[in-house]
Amino acid sequence: MTVPETILEQEVAQGWQRVNPLAILVSAVQGMRQAVLPAVAALFGARSLDNTVLVVGVIAAAVLVLVTLGAWLSWRRLRYLVGPEDIRVEQGLISRSARSVPYERIQDVSLEQGLLPRLLGLVEVRFETGAGGKDELKLAYVSMDEGERLRDVVREQRTLAPVAAAASESEAQPEAEGRLLFAMGPGRLLLFGLFEFSLIVFAVLAGATQQLEFLLPFDLWDVDQWEGRLSGTGWEAWLTGLGMAAQLVGVLIALASLVVLGLVTGVARTVLRDWQFRLDLTSRGFRRRRGLLTKTDVVMPAARVQAIIVSTGFVRRLWGWRGLSFVSLAQDAGSANHDVAPFAQESEIAPIVEVAGFTLPDDSVDWHRPSRAYRFDRALFTALPLVMVGIVLLFIEQVAWAAPLVWVLAVLLALRQHFLWRFERHAVDRRQILSRRGWLSPRLVAASRIKLHSVEIAQGPLGRWRGYADLRFGLAGGALAFEGLLLEEAEAMREAVLTSIASVDFSALPR
Amino acid sequence: MSRSLHDEGLTPLDPAYVTVMRVQALLMALPFVIAALVGEVSGRLFAGAFLVPVVLVALVLALMVPLRRYHARGYDMGEDRLRVVRGLLFRRDTVVPFGRVQHLDVEQGPLERAFGIARLVLHTAGTHNASVVLPGLAHARAVEMREAIRQHVKREIG
C-alpha cells in the first residue's frame, strides 16, 4: 500500500501510522447499511412527490457523499504509534482522544475479520487489556500483515517481562489429562435438574403465541369471548355443566401438570447443559467439560480466578446442596461467572476452593454487619410508601378491604430488612474479602485482596446525614459492594485493602 | 457533616473548570429560556409567570451550582495511588492504585479545549469503576499526571 500524501512528513518521522485506507471503504459500506432504513423511510415520505426518480437519486447521492466523507474524516483523524513502551492511538473528529496502552497491560491481541474485511484482506486488531467490551483498544482495519506484525510486537514485548516468560513456558508443556476434581453422573444430574424447576417454557409459549397469534381461529386476548365460552353458550358448555367437585379436580390437575412441566423443563435444561460434567486440574489450570448437544471445553488458569461464589437455593439448601462458580475475566456462555461445581456438597466444594487459592470462611472469621441506621432507613423507605398507599386505599370504598393487606406487606418488607441485618455480613481476612448476602438463599463471595482494582466510598444525601457509606470494589468480571457501612469502618477497610493492592503491581500478578 | 476538600488534603481542580461548567449549564438552560420567552411573547400567561422562575432557575444552575460542584471535587495524587472525590449530593470517593491502571486517556471536548481544560481517564480492569474520570484539570497538568502515572507503572515493573 502506498503511503497517502496526507500524512505529514513530521508525523511519519515520529512513527505515527494510519490504518489501511481501504478501511474507509469498509466503514462507508457499514455506514450505508445503517442508512438504508432512514433512506427507506425518507422514500416512503417522498412517494407522493412528482419527480420520484430525481428525489431518490438526490437522496441516495447525498447519503453516499455524507457517509463517505464521514468515513474518510474518521480515517484521517485516526493515527497510531507503535512505541518502544506502549501503543498509542489518537482518534476523534471534534473531541480528540489520545490513548496509550503499555505493553505490560495487554493480555492478548486478537484478530477479527468480518466478511467484507476478509474479502479486502483486512483485519480488526483488538488489544485485550481486561477493560472489556467497547472500552478495549482496537484498530479497524489494518492489513493482515500489519495485524500479524502488531501481534508479534506485543507478544515479543510481553515475553521480555519475566512473568510472561514463565506463563509461556507453562503453555508450552504438553496437555496432560490432569486430576479429576469434580464430576456429575446421571443420577446427580437428575437430582440437580429437579431443583432447577423452571416455568420458562411458559415465557417461550407466551412469546410464540404473540408471534403466531394470527394463526389461531379465535382472538386469544378477547376476554368477552372467553366469558361467553365459559358461561356455556358454545360447544364448551359441558365445562360449566360439570359439578363443583369435578371443577376442583380440574384445577388440581392443571396445577399438577404445571409442576410436572416445570420439573421436566428443569431436568431437560440441566441435562442439555451439564451432561457429563467434569472438572479437572491440569497443568494449565482448571479444565471443564460439559454439554450434551453443544459440548464445551473450557480451560481457566487458576491464577485468573478473581473471586469465588458459593450460592444455593432456598429448597436445595435444606439438603446441603451448593453451587460453586468462579469470577474471571473471560466470559462463560454470556455470564461472567464460570460454573465449576454447580451442584455439590460442601465437602466436595472445599478442595476445589483450596486449589483455586481461596479459603472458605471458618469460625475464626471476624464478621461485620452494616450499620443499624442503614437497615433502619431501608426498612423505613420500603415500608413507608406502602403504608401511604394503604391509607389512600382506605378512602376508596371499593378497595378499602385491600388496605390491611398492603400494610401486612409493608410490615413483611420491614421485617425482611431485620433478617437481612441479622444474616448479611462481610469480613476482611488476611488474603480475602468475604461477603455473605441474602437471607433464605445465602450467597458467599470471596475475592482475593490483591486482585482488586479500585476501591470507592459512595454516600448519598441520606448516608451523609446518618453517617454510613457504601464500599464498592473494582473486581474484574464481577461486582462486589458492601452497603451501609459506618463511614469510619468503610475508610479503615479501604485503607487496609489499598495497602495490599498497591504492594503488588498488576503485571506482577500471577496469571 | 460534610468535610471541606482542604481538610482532607485534596487538591482543587483548575478554576477555569468553573467557567466550563457554567457555559455548559447555560447551553443546557438556553432552550428552556427561549421556550419561556416564546410563552411570554404569546401573551397567554400572566406577565413573567413563566419567564421569571425559568430565568431564576437557569441563573442558579449556571452561577451557583458549578461553583459548589467545583468545591465538592478534588483529587489527591499520592505516592502509589490517585484519589478522586466528586459529587455534591451523591459523594463518590474513589482510589485507584497506579499498579492497577490498564491505560490512560487525556480527553478534551470542544468547550474544554477552548478553556485549556482536559479530563484524565484511568482505565482499570475492574468491572465496577472500569474507567475513573478526573475532569477539570489544566491540559498541561493532565498530561503531566498521565506521564507520571505511566512512569510509575513502568518503574514497578522494571
Side-chain angles (χ1 to χ4, degrees), chain B residues 62-134:
Chain B
L63 293 179
M64 293 178 59
V65 174
L67 199 62
R68 292 198 54 195
R69 280 168 92 181
Y70 171 79
H71 284 302
R73 290 183 182 184
Y75 66 94
D76 180 34
M77 184 94 170
E79 271 291 299
D80 53 3
R81 62 191 76 167
L82 176 71
R83 181 170 169 215
V84 178
V85 178
R86 63 206 180 281
L88 254 180
L89 281 177
F90 292 88
R91 202 178 122 99
R92 277 167 209 287
D93 179 341
T94 315
V95 180
V96 183
F98 296 156
R100 291 297 177 279
V101 176
Q102 290 286 319
H103 46 91
L104 293 149
D105 285 340
V106 171
E107 291 180 357
Q108 274 187 311
L111 199 61
E112 286 165 314
R113 191 148 38 158
F115 288 93
I117 294 290
R119 273 168 292 168
L120 180 67
V121 187
L122 276 65
H123 295 267
T124 74
T127 306
H128 176 73
N129 269 333
S131 47
V132 175
V133 185
L134 176 56

Side-chain angles (χ1 to χ4, degrees), chain A residues 202-216 220-221:
Chain A
F202 286 100
V204 175
L205 277 180
T209 41
Q210 227 167 31
Q211 295 295 320
L212 307 171
E213 201 182 352
F214 63 94
L215 293 175
L216 291 174
L220 195 62
W221 308 111

Side-chain angles (χ1 to χ4, degrees), chain A residues 10-54:
Chain A
Q10 192 193 353
E11 276 186 309
V12 177
Q14 287 170 348
W16 285 101
Q17 285 173 282
R18 293 227 150 72
V19 296
N20 196 300
L22 283 173
I24 304 173
L25 185 63
V26 178
S27 57
V29 170
Q30 281 166 350
M32 292 300 284
R33 212 179 293 160
Q34 281 174 1
V36 163
L37 270 184
V40 168
L43 280 181
F44 194 70
R47 84 205 128 109
S48 57
L49 295 178
D50 296 336
N51 302 323
T52 319
V53 179
L54 186 68

